């Protein structure tokens, strides 16, 4: 009895949970214009297409200088950027990313409202929002200028509406009334908006999940109800595909859309030269996809693995109830999506990122029933991550790239994490509460490190009066669209062209056309370029940068503990006088 009273005393209040939600939300706003914010290489590809489309003065066709990368995504993502930047007049990175936060906010509101309908309290909703925002997949892919946040919102509308209806007693009567057809017509159109962000292929997992959930949530099934449910789901999917098909009608070059998007971007993922079955059941073919419960939740993955155990024990001891409850409906939503995206020959954990809201709700429903050791294990992992961040921050300070103030704040975060973990392990803090607190501290420390990367040394330094304006600047070839970030570092309507042969010729002095600009990446301790020693080029400005794609052998046993030798690099801006 004493232990129960003590546990009740340690349990955080609902108000405290929502205050933590607010604090984590501020982390999402902080650093929205930071080039080093966790993201994906596709972000700069999308920014490149959006910028050139804005410059063309037309919404369609999309424009790109990257080979075979013009119609890599439907136009809605790029039209969104045209709106927030006033057709490119205010080309700022934070403006491109701001709609993602808007979609995340709507998703959190929708989750909270659905959970309130089932639970009649706001505490579970607060846990769900925390689980969503503290997941690494959301923090990395939900903030940048990517399709993840819009996907989470638009593709959660139909399942969310179904769960909202199931929370009300009159749900079973809603099968074949005109109101039902109207609702699923609207949901089909809204799902189509989501497909106009990502792909028509995502209509399949949404339709399968909705169909399974609708049947499972019925208290009394009949062949007539199954038939009407199937027809309404098919109608919803057809309308969604129809909304996507408007792209072909609006685009003046529909053949290019078919060739580049449908055949190469989508159908190309279904074919593979090697054995399909061999790839399907191999680690190389499905390993990354099967690890999504670990990669996407990030530090919260101990809770996800614990949910598997909870589900297994429940399945052994209790038959599946009819109709399903909220928990079973969420499991089927997740399972249907995972099944559909296991079929293509190309599989990635990123394909199931739209499931994070469902997973967050499932974690929230079980957070108070999980064993304390699960949260203790997770808090220990969060402390390890905090230690790694502090270690990197110390090395950044050693090379002069982090001020003592920020280093001190990161040290304070690490000490707070130590106190949090110690209190959890000693039983003096509510284990789940301490766990999410330690995860929030790890994201806070990461944001502090990233903030220091946006400081003065990471901007081009030297001869500020000499900068290219409306010029062609040659850059090294790298990952698709990586050069687009220079638009934010060297604004002025410049055109950055990746051409390794041209850059090599400029470095060696074989190309010496006056007024030619180029940017290269160099080690901080590199010697001057041949063209510099020959007086054929001048170094105008230098900036520090992060090595974002390490080469094989760049990190080895001899320098693994000295990140200053492989983590940082410089970029030189040079000009042929």
């Amino acid at each position: 009895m004493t232990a129960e009273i003590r546990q009740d005393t340690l349990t955080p209040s609902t108000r405290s949970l929502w205050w933590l939600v607010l604090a984590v939300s501020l982390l999402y706003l902080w650093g929205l214009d930071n080039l080093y914010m966790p993201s994906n290489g596709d972000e700069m590809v999308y920014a490149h297409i959006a910028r050139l489309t804005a410059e063309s003065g037309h919404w369609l066709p999309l424009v790109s200088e990257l080979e075979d990368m013009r119609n890599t995504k439907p136009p809605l993502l790029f039209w969104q950027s045209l709106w927030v930047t006033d057709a490119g007049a205010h080309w700022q990175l934070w403006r491109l990313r701001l709609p993602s936060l808007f979609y995340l906010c709507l998703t959190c509101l929708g989750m909270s409202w659905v959970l309130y309908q089932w639970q009649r309290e706001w505490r579970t909703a607060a846990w769900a929002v925390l689980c969503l925002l503290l997941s690494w997949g959301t923090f990395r892919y939900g903030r940048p200028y990517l399709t993840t946040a819009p996907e989470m919102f638009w593709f959660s509308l139909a399942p969310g509406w179904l769960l909202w209806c199931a929370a009300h007693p009159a749900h079973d009567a809603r099968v074949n009334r005109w109101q039902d057809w109207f609702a699923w017509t609207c949901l089909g159109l809204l799902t189509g908006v989501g497909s106009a962000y990502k792909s028509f292929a995502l209509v399949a997992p949404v339709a399968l999940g909705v169909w399974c959930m609708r049947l499972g949530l019925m208290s009394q099934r009949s062949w007539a109800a199954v038939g009407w449910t199937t027809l309404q789901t098919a109608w919803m999917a057809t309308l969604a595909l129809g909304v996507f098909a408007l792209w072909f009608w609006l685009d003046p070059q529909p053949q290019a859309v078919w060739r580049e998007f449908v055949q190469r971007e989508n159908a190309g993922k279904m074919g593979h030269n090697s054995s399909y079955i061999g790839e399907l059941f191999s680690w190389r073919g499905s390993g990354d996809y099967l690890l999504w419960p670990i990669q996407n939740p990030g530090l919260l993955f101990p809770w996800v693995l614990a949910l598997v155990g909870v589900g297994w024990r429940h399945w052994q001891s209790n038959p599946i109830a009819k109709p399903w409850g909220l928990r079973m409906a969420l499991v089927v939503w997740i399972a249907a999506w995972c099944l559909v995206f296991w079929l293509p020959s190309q599989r990635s954990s990123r394909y199931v990122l739209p499931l994070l809201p469902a997973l967050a709700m499932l974690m929230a429903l079980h957070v108070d029933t999980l064993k304390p050791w699960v949260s203790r294990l997770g808090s220990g992992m969060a402390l390890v991550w905090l230690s790694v961040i502090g270690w990197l921050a110390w090395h950044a300070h050693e090379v002069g790239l982090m001020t003592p103030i920020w280093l001190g704040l990161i040290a304070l975060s690490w000490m707070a994490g130590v106190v949090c973990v110690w209190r959890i392990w000693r039983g003096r803090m509510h284990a789940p509460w301490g766990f999410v607190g330690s995860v929030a501290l790890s994201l806070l420390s990461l944001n502090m490190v990233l903030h220091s990367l946006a400081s003065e040394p990471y901007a081009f330094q030297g001869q500020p009066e000499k900068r290219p304006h409306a010029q062609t600047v040659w850059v090294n070839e790298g990952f698709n669209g990586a050069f687009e970030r220079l638009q934010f570092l060297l604004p002025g309507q410049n055109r950055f062209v990746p051409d390794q042969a041209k850059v090599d010729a400029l470095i060696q002095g074989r190309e010496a056309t006056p007024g030619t600009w180029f940017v290269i990446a160099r080690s901080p301790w590199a010697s001057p370029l041949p063209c510099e020693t020959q007086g054929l080029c001048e170094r105008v400005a230098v900036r520090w940068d992060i090595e974002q794609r390490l080469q094989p052998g760049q990190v080895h046993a001899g320098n693994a503990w000295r990140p200053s030798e492989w983590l940082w690099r410089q970029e030189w801006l040079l000009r042929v006088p």
Side-chain angles (χ1 to χ4, degrees):
M1 186 69 179
T2 305
E4 293 178 359
I5 294 174
R6 181 175 181 180
Q7 187 65 28
D8 292 341
T9 305
L10 295 175
T11 301
S13 65
T14 301
R15 181 176 297 179
S16 299
L17 289 171
W18 283 109
W19 276 115
L20 184 57
V21 168
L22 177 61
V24 175
S25 302
L26 295 177
L27 289 181
Y28 273 69
L29 282 170
W30 185 14
L32 205 60
D33 61 342
N34 193 333
L35 278 172
Y36 297 101
M37 187 178 80
S39 180
N40 177 267
D42 291 340
E43 181 179 28
M44 288 298 109
V45 175
Y46 301 156
H48 172 77
I49 297 171
R51 180 179 57 82
L52 293 187
T53 302
E55 291 177 357
S56 72
H58 303 282
W59 285 33
L60 285 172
L62 302 176
V63 183
S64 174
E65 294 179 347
L66 295 168
E67 185 177 0
D68 298 329
M69 296 290 285
R70 181 163 62 97
N71 292 306
T72 185
K73 284 292 177 289
L76 208 54
L77 179 69
F78 310 110
W79 293 351
Q80 167 188 293
S81 67
L82 298 184
W83 180 68
V84 296
T85 63
D86 192 16
H90 306 286
W91 197 251
Q92 296 165 302
L93 191 55
W94 70 268
R95 288 177 177 267
L96 296 178
R97 292 169 168 172
L98 191 60
S100 293
L101 296 190
F102 176 71
Y103 277 120
L104 280 180
C105 182
L106 291 178
T107 303
C108 292
L109 290 174
M111 288 169 42
S112 301
W113 185 243
V114 168
L115 286 171
Y116 178 77
Q117 298 303 308
W118 283 84
Q119 304 297 110
R120 290 300 166 182
E121 44 84 12
W122 293 104
R123 180 182 181 80
T124 305
W127 277 116
V129 174
L130 278 175
C131 290
L132 178 64
L133 297 182
L134 292 177
S135 294
W136 177 246
T138 310
F139 194 73
R140 180 182 178 184
Y141 297 103
R143 292 198 299 165
Y145 177 50
L146 298 171
T147 61
T148 302
E151 287 177 74
M152 284 184 183
F153 174 72
W154 294 109
F155 295 133
S156 296
L157 286 178
W161 166 257
L162 184 58
L163 293 176
W164 185 86
C165 290
H168 295 80
H171 165 65
D172 285 337
R174 301 179 180 187
V175 177
N176 188 32
R177 300 179 305 173
W178 73 266
Q179 296 97 324
D180 304 315
W181 284 98
F182 177 75
W184 291 104
T185 297
C186 294
L187 290 171
L189 297 174
L190 295 173
T191 302
V193 175
S195 69
Y197 267 99
K198 181 69 172 182
S199 173
F200 63 90
L202 274 75
V203 175
V206 174
L208 178 61
V210 164
W211 184 78
C212 293
M213 290 169 66
R214 290 191 71 184
L215 294 182
L217 289 168
M218 290 180 181
S219 59
Q220 295 181 349
R221 300 189 188 96
S222 65
W223 285 112
V226 172
W228 288 118
T229 296
T230 303
L231 285 175
Q232 289 172 351
T233 305
W235 172 243
M236 179 195 74
T238 302
L239 286 176
L241 293 175
V243 173
F244 176 84
L246 290 175
W247 185 12
F248 293 90
W249 181 59
L250 295 172
D251 199 301
Q253 300 175 5
Q255 299 87 350
V257 175
W258 177 264
R259 182 180 64 256
E260 297 172 14
F261 184 78
V262 177
Q263 293 184 320
R264 184 180 297 115
E265 184 74 14
N266 286 270
K269 295 179 179 179
M270 296 298 296
H272 205 280
N273 294 329
S274 60
S275 169
Y276 173 79
I277 299 298
E279 288 284 323
L280 183 66
F281 294 101
S282 70
W283 183 256
R284 183 173 61 118
S286 301
D288 179 75
Y289 184 73
L290 295 176
L291 286 176
W292 79 263
I294 297 177
Q295 296 188 51
N296 292 347
L299 291 172
L300 296 181
F301 87 86
W303 279 1
V304 178
L305 297 184
L307 286 179
V308 176
V310 170
W312 176 257
R313 290 193 300 270
H314 181 79
W315 179 75
Q316 286 185 316
S317 59
N318 300 288
I320 298 177
K322 295 181 182 179
W324 295 346
L326 176 60
R327 291 168 175 81
M328 189 62 192
L330 291 171
V331 169
V332 170
W333 178 1
I334 294 171
W337 195 288
C338 290
L339 176 63
V340 170
F341 278 100
W342 194 37
L343 298 178
S345 56
Q346 293 184 27
R347 306 168 194 91
S348 171
S349 58
R350 287 182 295 158
Y351 295 166
V352 291
L353 284 169
L355 288 178
L356 281 177
L359 185 62
M361 288 191 284
L362 201 58
M363 285 191 283
L365 290 167
H366 292 88
V367 68
D368 288 323
T369 62
L370 297 178
K371 299 294 184 182
W373 68 264
V374 178
S375 298
R376 290 170 185 163
L377 174 63
S379 64
M381 296 176 55
L383 182 59
V384 172
W385 178 236
L386 273 168
S387 302
V388 172
I389 294 175
W391 175 68
L392 292 174
W394 173 257
H395 283 277
H397 173 67
E398 280 194 329
V399 295
L401 298 178
M402 178 171 288
T403 63
I405 294 177
W406 285 111
L407 181 63
L409 291 174
I410 292 172
L412 286 176
S413 297
W414 180 83
M415 287 187 284
V418 171
V419 172
C420 195
V421 172
W422 179 79
R423 288 177 62 85
I424 293 173
W425 282 82
R426 291 297 300 271
R428 298 182 179 181
M429 176 179 284
H430 186 249
W433 172 246
F435 178 33
V436 295
S438 60
V439 174
L441 283 172
S442 69
L443 296 184
L444 171 64
S445 297
L446 179 61
N447 259 15
M448 284 193 262
V449 172
L450 297 176
H451 179 81
S452 71
L453 299 185
S455 59
E456 187 176 354
Y458 290 89
F460 279 106
Q461 306 294 316
Q463 304 186 44
E465 71 282 356
K466 292 185 178 180
R467 292 291 187 273
H469 183 76
Q471 298 287 328
T472 297
V473 182
W474 303 93
V475 299
N476 296 96
E477 291 183 356
F479 185 76
N480 284 335
F483 60 87
E484 185 67 21
R485 61 193 171 80
L486 293 170
Q487 291 288 345
F488 303 100
L489 293 166
L490 292 170
Q493 299 180 334
N494 297 301
R495 179 171 177 257
F496 297 92
V497 181
D499 190 328
Q500 193 64 52
K502 179 77 171 182
V503 171
D504 290 341
L506 289 165
I507 291 173
Q508 298 300 325
R510 299 193 303 270
E511 170 69 44
T513 304
T516 302
W517 293 87
F518 61 106
V519 175
I520 63 166
R522 299 285 285 176
S523 166
W525 303 276
S527 57
L529 299 176
C531 66
E532 288 183 285
T533 58
Q534 300 170 27
L536 298 176
C537 67
E538 62 172 335
R539 195 183 312 176
V540 175
V542 176
R543 65 177 290 267
W544 284 82
D545 193 19
I546 294 291
E547 192 71 65
Q548 300 186 36
R549 288 186 173 267
L550 297 171
Q551 301 300 318
Q554 193 170 348
V555 182
H556 48 79
N559 67 357
W561 295 100
R562 298 191 298 275
S564 56
E565 297 183 9
W566 47 264
L567 184 57
W568 286 279
R569 67 177 186 178
Q570 288 183 339
E571 281 190 329
W572 297 356
L573 173 65
L574 301 106
R575 177 178 177 272
V576 178

